[in-house]
Amino acid sequence: MLFCLLLFKIPLTFSPPFSPTKNRETLFYIFPPKFLLFNVLLACLLLMAVAECRFRIRGCLPAGGEGGGGSAVGETKYKATSCRAHTASLTDFGAVGDGVTSNTKAFQAAVTALAEFSGDGGGLLYVPAGQWLTGPFNLTSCMTLFLHRNAVILASQDMNEWPVIDFLPSYGRGRDVPGGRYSSLIVGSNLTDVIITGDNGTIDGRGGFWWAKFHHKQLKYTRGYLVELMYSDQIFISNLVFLNSPSWNIHPVYSSNIIIKGITISAPVHSPNTDGINPDSCSHVRIEDCYIVSGDDCIAIKSGWDEYGIAVGMPSQHIIIRRLTCVSPTSATIALGSEMSGGVQDVRAEDITAIDTESGVRIKTAVGRGGFIKDIYVRRMNLHTMKWVFWMTGNYNSHPDQKYNPDAIPDVEGISYSHVTAENVTTAGRLEGIEQAPFKGICMFNVSVEVRKAKKTTWVCESVEGISSSVTPAPCDAFKDEGLTPAACPFPEDSLPIEDVEMKDCTLPSTVSL
């Protein structure tokens, strides 16, 4: 500001009046020769002023106090896969955080502005403390969406703010009803390097509005999700709270190189289809240090539905899940399927805790799905109050339509469980394969299950084949104790490339402005 004042004040003091008829002499009017030393100094000030104004316009120099919109945020440190060169606050685009005013246009305008920096160090959109009501909005490449600890993004309940979009190619229809689907709240397609993070701010889907309409069959289209990123690469989601999604919470689809870390997901345990994290036809995924309370599967790995998933043919593969805590009385800690027609392979889950959850690991498929589920490795699960520890079914008969191929038989093979402890359990395992294609290569080692009440049947086994050792209570005849060593049910020792991605130390500028 001082430079700009000097630029306009000093020439008026020391120069003759400007005349438009003397354009060739204008430079001397601004810098009269008799003030040579002063001229040099003023020239430097002029250059600095121009540079300062230029950087402010480009958003390189932030401004203000905590909370954004020109007020300082106090040099917040955070970790992410990428740091950004440019920063803006949502309030720079006219947003009002009163929980009543719609900010959909402000979010859209902010993302459009930041898209200009995708090739110049990327941009960060800072959401300050407040209640920010909005309908769906898109993200852009090389962008970070950062929420202050007291920021809440509230999903609009104005149906007019929710555009209807096409169904996913690998599903052939919406999941709730045939046809299209409502947009998810935060969306993006064909993006590279997109980050959604913060200081444990909140994204609230206000799902009760949608659940009631779903239960009363009042929706013409399928419900949207809180976050859906499609055909994208390098996705990082961390340090946020996701509440009350209309349906699934986090849905990366047809994407790769994904890290989801340190998030909390919460919805009422009887809310419909509020899955936590659903990688869908995705490769190289790392999910860690997450806490999920859900009305459906805490994590469900998918890859398309019947003939549509077979046609797209994009498997979910090379996925690691670790240090997960799950509560879901009506569903699974980790589910594979049921939509798995593109295939699921190389899933590694370890250090998993579940409390009051229907099942530990659940494999769901059916005749007509096709595809495969293989090379699944699970170790060190600690389970409390379960209906089933292990559940596999080849009879999960939900189909998008009647066009599925009855000869499309899924292949389930190579499932390894080790070091599993469970207490207060109704049934140790319900393992039901497909008669013409038994589930095979199932290995269980060092499994201890405390069944709630003594029953004659602690295991149910049909059309399954495998081996076991040190399993209590003793499994059914298909899993006779072979006196195996720990190496018999191996967990891969190699490291997936997504595990080697390191976080960078980033700093949110002390001021936020574009």
Side-chain angles (χ1 to χ4, degrees), residues 197-326:
T197 189
D199 189 16
N200 289 310
T202 300
I203 300 173
D204 187 346
R206 304 169 78 197
F209 169 81
W210 296 93
W211 307 331
K213 288 183 176 295
F214 173 78
H215 284 308
H216 291 95
K217 302 187 184 301
Q218 296 174 341
L219 294 173
K220 294 181 180 180
Y221 306 103
T222 292
R223 291 163 290 161
Y225 311 135
L226 282 188
V227 176
E228 182 177 74
L229 299 172
M230 301 187 293
Y231 302 108
S232 296
D233 184 54
Q234 300 175 45
I235 297 168
F236 181 66
I237 302 174
S238 73
N239 295 348
L240 292 172
V241 177
F242 296 86
L243 299 179
N244 302 319
S245 179
S247 186
W248 301 349
N249 279 264
I250 312 295
H251 184 226
V253 57
Y254 316 135
S255 296
S256 59
N257 296 307
I258 302 160
I259 299 175
I260 302 174
K261 178 182 177 67
I263 67 171
T264 296
I265 294 174
S266 182
V269 293
H270 295 290
S271 53
N273 310 117
T274 52
D275 297 43
I277 303 169
N278 287 7
D280 197 341
S281 293
C282 290
S283 296
H284 303 286
V285 181
R286 173 174 144 196
I287 301 170
E288 60 189 10
D289 303 309
C290 295
Y291 177 80
I292 302 173
V293 179
S294 169
D296 211 318
D297 301 321
C298 288
I299 293 179
I301 300 171
K302 301 175 178 290
S303 63
W305 203 2
D306 287 6
E307 68 270 26
Y308 305 105
I310 293 171
V312 171
M314 288 185 66
S316 281
Q317 58 188 346
H318 312 309
I319 298 172
I320 185 160
I321 305 164
R322 56 195 180 195
R323 299 184 298 277
L324 168 72
T325 299
C326 168

Side-chain angles (χ1 to χ4, degrees), residues 377-453:
Y377 309 96
V378 181
R379 69 179 177 185
R380 295 197 299 270
M381 293 189 77
N382 193 356
L383 312 175
H384 307 267
T385 308
M386 316 292 289
K387 190 172 184 180
W388 299 287
V389 174
F390 309 111
W391 188 7
M392 303 179 183
T393 177
N395 192 34
Y396 201 85
N397 288 319
S398 72
H399 300 284
D401 50 41
Q402 297 304 311
K403 299 177 183 179
Y404 68 90
N405 180 3
D407 296 324
I409 308 299
D411 177 19
V412 178
E413 181 175 4
I415 317 296
S416 177
Y417 304 112
S418 64
H419 308 290
V420 177
T421 301
E423 63 178 10
N424 197 24
V425 173
T426 302
T427 303
R430 177 181 168 184
L431 312 178
E432 300 167 314
I434 298 171
E435 184 176 359
Q436 60 269 48
F439 298 173
K440 56 189 178 182
I442 302 167
C443 183
M444 294 183 284
F445 175 78
N446 192 22
V447 174
S448 177
V449 179
E450 179 190 282
V451 178
R452 186 177 298 125
K453 294 181 180 179

Side-chain angles (χ1 to χ4, degrees), residues 362-383:
R362 184 179 180 187
I363 294 175
K364 304 184 287 185
T365 188
V367 171
R369 289 286 193 273
F372 52 85
I373 298 176
K374 58 185 180 181
D375 303 331
I376 311 300
Y377 309 96
V378 181
R379 69 179 177 185
R380 295 197 299 270
M381 293 189 77
N382 193 356
L383 312 175

